[in-house]
Short mmCIF file of all heavy atoms in Angstrom, two decimals:
data_model
loop_
_atom_site.label_atom_id
_atom_site.label_comp_id
_atom_site.label_asym_id
_atom_site.label_seq_id
_atom_site.Cartn_x
_atom_site.Cartn_y
_atom_site.Cartn_z
N PHE A 1 3.17 -43.40 -14.24
CA PHE A 1 3.87 -44.60 -14.07
C PHE A 1 3.26 -45.76 -13.47
O PHE A 1 3.81 -46.77 -13.17
CB PHE A 1 5.26 -44.29 -13.43
CG PHE A 1 6.23 -43.54 -14.33
CD1 PHE A 1 6.08 -42.20 -14.43
CD2 PHE A 1 7.08 -44.21 -15.00
CE1 PHE A 1 7.07 -41.55 -15.31
CE2 PHE A 1 7.98 -43.68 -15.77
CZ PHE A 1 7.98 -42.29 -16.07
N GLY A 2 1.89 -45.50 -13.13
CA GLY A 2 1.16 -46.60 -12.38
C GLY A 2 1.66 -46.99 -11.02
O GLY A 2 1.47 -47.99 -10.67
N VAL A 3 2.27 -45.98 -10.34
CA VAL A 3 2.86 -46.25 -9.05
C VAL A 3 1.70 -46.31 -8.00
O VAL A 3 1.04 -45.44 -7.75
CB VAL A 3 3.79 -44.91 -8.68
CG1 VAL A 3 4.30 -45.27 -7.18
CG2 VAL A 3 4.97 -45.03 -9.55
N MET A 4 1.63 -47.52 -7.49
CA MET A 4 0.66 -47.83 -6.43
C MET A 4 1.19 -47.90 -5.05
O MET A 4 0.54 -47.67 -3.93
CB MET A 4 -0.08 -49.08 -6.66
CG MET A 4 -0.94 -49.05 -7.99
SD MET A 4 -2.23 -47.86 -7.82
CE MET A 4 -2.84 -47.55 -9.49
N SER A 5 2.55 -48.43 -4.99
CA SER A 5 3.23 -48.52 -3.68
C SER A 5 4.62 -47.80 -3.80
O SER A 5 5.11 -47.75 -4.99
CB SER A 5 3.49 -49.96 -3.46
OG SER A 5 2.23 -50.72 -3.27
N ILE A 6 5.14 -47.42 -2.74
CA ILE A 6 6.34 -46.63 -2.75
C ILE A 6 7.16 -47.38 -1.67
O ILE A 6 6.70 -47.81 -0.69
CB ILE A 6 6.21 -45.19 -2.50
CG1 ILE A 6 5.42 -44.85 -1.26
CG2 ILE A 6 5.66 -44.53 -3.74
CD1 ILE A 6 5.37 -43.44 -0.88
N PRO A 7 8.62 -47.23 -1.87
CA PRO A 7 9.27 -46.72 -2.88
C PRO A 7 9.19 -47.67 -4.09
O PRO A 7 9.03 -48.71 -4.19
CB PRO A 7 10.73 -46.71 -2.54
CG PRO A 7 10.81 -47.85 -1.56
CD PRO A 7 9.37 -47.92 -0.82
N THR A 8 9.02 -46.88 -5.35
CA THR A 8 9.05 -47.53 -6.70
C THR A 8 10.26 -46.92 -7.36
O THR A 8 10.39 -45.73 -7.40
CB THR A 8 7.75 -47.29 -7.44
OG1 THR A 8 6.68 -47.94 -6.90
CG2 THR A 8 7.98 -47.74 -8.96
N LEU A 9 11.20 -47.87 -7.82
CA LEU A 9 12.30 -47.47 -8.59
C LEU A 9 11.98 -47.80 -10.09
O LEU A 9 11.54 -48.87 -10.41
CB LEU A 9 13.56 -48.17 -8.07
CG LEU A 9 13.93 -47.84 -6.72
CD1 LEU A 9 15.07 -48.76 -6.22
CD2 LEU A 9 14.42 -46.45 -6.47
N VAL A 10 12.29 -46.88 -11.00
CA VAL A 10 12.09 -46.96 -12.33
C VAL A 10 13.35 -46.64 -13.10
O VAL A 10 13.96 -45.59 -12.86
CB VAL A 10 10.87 -46.08 -13.00
CG1 VAL A 10 10.74 -46.20 -14.36
CG2 VAL A 10 9.51 -46.44 -12.24
N VAL A 11 13.77 -47.45 -14.15
CA VAL A 11 15.01 -47.11 -15.00
C VAL A 11 14.41 -46.85 -16.46
O VAL A 11 13.60 -47.63 -16.93
CB VAL A 11 15.90 -48.42 -15.01
CG1 VAL A 11 17.15 -47.86 -16.01
CG2 VAL A 11 16.48 -48.63 -13.68
N ILE A 12 14.82 -45.66 -16.89
CA ILE A 12 14.32 -45.22 -18.10
C ILE A 12 15.49 -45.09 -19.08
O ILE A 12 16.54 -44.29 -18.76
CB ILE A 12 13.50 -43.92 -18.08
CG1 ILE A 12 12.27 -44.27 -17.19
CG2 ILE A 12 13.07 -43.28 -19.44
CD1 ILE A 12 11.47 -42.96 -16.79
N LYS A 13 15.51 -45.66 -20.27
CA LYS A 13 16.48 -45.40 -21.23
C LYS A 13 15.89 -45.07 -22.56
O LYS A 13 14.95 -45.66 -23.06
CB LYS A 13 17.34 -46.77 -21.45
CG LYS A 13 18.21 -47.22 -20.42
CD LYS A 13 18.99 -48.44 -20.71
CE LYS A 13 19.67 -48.80 -19.49
NZ LYS A 13 20.38 -50.20 -19.63
N ASN A 14 16.22 -43.91 -23.23
CA ASN A 14 15.68 -43.44 -24.42
C ASN A 14 14.35 -43.19 -24.28
O ASN A 14 13.51 -43.49 -25.29
CB ASN A 14 16.06 -44.43 -25.58
CG ASN A 14 17.57 -44.56 -25.85
OD1 ASN A 14 18.31 -43.63 -25.70
ND2 ASN A 14 17.88 -45.84 -26.02
N GLY A 15 13.83 -42.73 -23.10
CA GLY A 15 12.37 -42.46 -23.06
C GLY A 15 11.48 -43.48 -22.71
O GLY A 15 10.36 -43.37 -22.57
N GLN A 16 12.13 -44.68 -22.51
CA GLN A 16 11.21 -45.96 -22.38
C GLN A 16 11.69 -46.62 -21.05
O GLN A 16 12.72 -46.62 -20.60
CB GLN A 16 11.53 -47.05 -23.53
CG GLN A 16 11.15 -46.49 -24.92
CD GLN A 16 9.75 -46.22 -25.14
OE1 GLN A 16 8.85 -47.05 -24.72
NE2 GLN A 16 9.43 -45.07 -25.75
N ILE A 17 10.55 -47.12 -20.36
CA ILE A 17 10.86 -47.89 -19.14
C ILE A 17 11.44 -49.21 -19.40
O ILE A 17 10.93 -49.93 -20.26
CB ILE A 17 9.64 -48.16 -18.42
CG1 ILE A 17 8.90 -46.81 -17.92
CG2 ILE A 17 9.76 -48.95 -17.21
CD1 ILE A 17 7.61 -46.96 -17.26
N VAL A 18 12.71 -49.53 -18.88
CA VAL A 18 13.35 -50.81 -19.20
C VAL A 18 13.34 -51.67 -17.96
O VAL A 18 13.63 -52.87 -18.00
CB VAL A 18 14.76 -50.51 -19.67
CG1 VAL A 18 14.77 -49.93 -21.10
CG2 VAL A 18 15.66 -49.65 -18.79
N ASN A 19 13.12 -50.99 -16.73
CA ASN A 19 13.06 -51.81 -15.52
C ASN A 19 12.24 -51.05 -14.49
O ASN A 19 12.26 -49.86 -14.45
CB ASN A 19 14.53 -52.03 -14.98
CG ASN A 19 14.80 -53.47 -14.32
OD1 ASN A 19 13.74 -53.91 -13.87
ND2 ASN A 19 15.84 -53.88 -14.40
N GLN A 20 11.63 -51.89 -13.66
CA GLN A 20 10.72 -51.19 -12.58
C GLN A 20 10.77 -52.24 -11.39
O GLN A 20 10.73 -53.41 -11.47
CB GLN A 20 9.49 -50.95 -12.99
CG GLN A 20 8.57 -50.14 -12.21
CD GLN A 20 7.35 -49.58 -12.90
OE1 GLN A 20 7.33 -49.46 -14.20
NE2 GLN A 20 6.40 -48.98 -12.14
N SER A 21 10.80 -51.62 -10.15
CA SER A 21 10.85 -52.34 -8.92
C SER A 21 10.09 -51.64 -7.84
O SER A 21 10.12 -50.46 -7.64
CB SER A 21 12.28 -52.73 -8.54
OG SER A 21 12.41 -52.77 -7.23
N VAL A 22 9.34 -52.43 -7.05
CA VAL A 22 8.64 -51.79 -5.87
C VAL A 22 9.29 -52.31 -4.60
O VAL A 22 9.47 -53.63 -4.51
CB VAL A 22 7.08 -52.17 -5.99
CG1 VAL A 22 6.34 -51.68 -4.76
CG2 VAL A 22 6.49 -51.70 -7.31
N GLY A 23 9.27 -51.46 -3.64
CA GLY A 23 9.72 -51.77 -2.31
C GLY A 23 11.34 -51.55 -2.08
O GLY A 23 11.96 -51.28 -3.00
N ALA A 24 11.60 -51.48 -0.86
CA ALA A 24 13.02 -51.21 -0.42
C ALA A 24 13.97 -52.25 -1.07
O ALA A 24 13.64 -53.49 -0.93
CB ALA A 24 13.22 -51.06 1.04
N LYS A 25 15.16 -51.95 -1.50
CA LYS A 25 16.15 -52.83 -2.09
C LYS A 25 17.54 -52.49 -1.58
O LYS A 25 17.64 -51.15 -1.39
CB LYS A 25 16.15 -52.73 -3.64
CG LYS A 25 14.72 -53.09 -4.30
CD LYS A 25 14.62 -54.49 -4.61
CE LYS A 25 13.49 -54.73 -5.35
NZ LYS A 25 12.20 -54.83 -4.61
N PRO A 26 18.31 -53.34 -1.42
CA PRO A 26 19.78 -53.03 -1.03
C PRO A 26 20.47 -52.37 -2.27
O PRO A 26 20.08 -52.58 -3.44
CB PRO A 26 20.42 -54.33 -0.72
CG PRO A 26 19.59 -55.40 -1.44
CD PRO A 26 18.20 -54.87 -1.49
N LYS A 27 21.53 -51.78 -2.15
CA LYS A 27 22.39 -51.16 -3.15
C LYS A 27 22.64 -52.04 -4.35
O LYS A 27 22.46 -51.62 -5.55
CB LYS A 27 23.57 -50.46 -2.59
CG LYS A 27 24.28 -49.71 -3.61
CD LYS A 27 25.56 -49.12 -2.90
CE LYS A 27 26.37 -48.28 -3.95
NZ LYS A 27 27.59 -47.68 -3.45
N ASN A 28 23.08 -53.33 -4.06
CA ASN A 28 23.53 -54.21 -5.15
C ASN A 28 22.31 -54.44 -6.05
O ASN A 28 22.36 -54.62 -7.32
CB ASN A 28 24.23 -55.34 -4.76
CG ASN A 28 23.33 -56.32 -3.79
OD1 ASN A 28 22.36 -55.72 -3.16
ND2 ASN A 28 23.84 -57.51 -3.54
N ALA A 29 21.11 -54.59 -5.52
CA ALA A 29 19.94 -54.94 -6.22
C ALA A 29 19.48 -53.74 -7.19
O ALA A 29 19.05 -53.83 -8.18
CB ALA A 29 18.74 -55.20 -5.41
N ILE A 30 19.60 -52.55 -6.64
CA ILE A 30 19.41 -51.30 -7.34
C ILE A 30 20.38 -51.19 -8.55
O ILE A 30 19.87 -50.93 -9.65
CB ILE A 30 19.38 -50.08 -6.44
CG1 ILE A 30 18.30 -50.12 -5.41
CG2 ILE A 30 19.20 -48.79 -7.26
CD1 ILE A 30 18.30 -49.09 -4.26
#
């Protein structure tokens, strides 16, 4: 997934990455 920094959050739909974000996020952003 090319994760270089953590935390990294990834959303996968139907086997495909549809969203990705690096760093701590509040609940509403996640």
Side-chain angles (χ1 to χ4, degrees):
F1 282 86
V3 173
M4 296 293 167
S5 299
I6 52 175
T8 292
L9 297 170
V10 178
V11 178
I12 298 172
K13 290 182 184 171
N14 303 317
Q16 301 294 314
I17 296 172
V18 295
N19 213 333
Q20 191 164 343
S21 147
V22 177
K25 301 271 184 280
K27 183 177 179 182
N28 62 345
I30 295 172

